[in-house]
Amino acid sequence: MPTRIFVNLPVKSLARSVAFFAHLGYGFDPHFTDENSTCMVVGDNIFVMLLVEPFFQSFTPKPIADAHKTTEAIVCIAVEDRATVDSLVDKAIAAGALPGKTRDMGFMYQRSYQDLDGHLWELLHMEQDEPRATNAVPACADLLERHAGPARHGARSHRTPLAPN
């Protein structure tokens, strides 16, 4: 079985969050959906579990972060092209998200937004044949560089472009 990632995010209203992400074009796995949670399909092996706050709280003794006031994580998704970055972020904003930063570094283009619960999302596209030597990288690319090293980062950063169906 391939490695999969499940990002778990607390939400105040499951129905509102599902409507928001469906507006962006994401699908949901009915096998992992009930009144407490749903499984949003981001890619073949990447999923976001949206869990209502009381259910999310049952998995941890720590308090749930108020994502409107503090940053708990930045979810970064690499997509096929700049147009997909713009399309997804524009749809998110139209559905009620707060716009974030836009960065265009030539070889890399990124935009970000805060979803309805304050979670930070970053969409980016990187050109495959351009050098990666810069210190102006998005949060996810910076973490990959620090933890995986430049060779692995360059090999992995754009092999799995993710976009909703």
Side-chain angles (χ1 to χ4, degrees):
M1 176 189 323
T3 300
R4 296 179 182 179
I5 183 169
F6 289 83
V7 176
N8 295 276
L9 295 176
V11 299
K12 295 202 180 300
S13 167
L14 188 59
R16 186 172 162 220
S17 292
V18 166
F20 173 80
F21 287 108
H23 182 80
L24 275 65
Y26 292 106
F28 300 88
D29 185 338
H31 295 103
F32 297 100
T33 299
D34 61 20
E35 68 279 356
N36 289 313
S37 63
T38 190
C39 179
M40 182 171 78
V41 180
V42 177
D44 290 340
N45 296 303
I46 301 175
F47 310 91
V48 176
M49 297 298 299
L50 303 172
L51 301 103
V52 293
E53 288 182 345
F55 186 58
F56 184 94
Q57 186 67 67
S58 72
F59 292 97
T60 179
K62 295 168 129 183
I64 297 173
D66 180 345
H68 291 286
K69 295 179 182 177
T70 185
T71 301
E72 85 242 298
I74 299 173
V75 180
C76 180
I77 301 173
V79 296
E80 299 171 346
D81 53 42
R82 294 168 67 103
T84 303
V85 171
D86 287 335
S87 174
L88 287 170
V89 175
D90 290 345
K91 286 178 184 177
I93 293 166
L98 297 176
K101 293 181 181 180
T102 298
R103 294 184 184 145
D104 187 346
M105 292 166 266
F107 74 94
M108 183 169 47
Y109 177 68
Q110 77 179 76
R111 289 181 64 192
S112 61
Y113 65 89
Q114 285 186 51
D115 71 17
L116 304 178
D117 289 286
H119 304 295
L120 301 174
W121 292 80
E122 189 173 87
L123 284 290
L124 71 89
H125 169 69
M126 283 200 271
E127 298 296 329
Q128 294 187 6
D129 297 328
E130 296 296 322
R132 304 290 186 263
T134 181
N135 59 3
V137 295
C140 64
D142 185 45
L143 287 173
L144 282 172
E145 186 75 27
R146 281 189 269 153
H147 293 287
R152 289 180 65 194
H153 169 63
R156 289 183 173 184
S157 63
H158 41 82
R159 293 263 157 98
T160 23
L162 304 173
N165 295 330

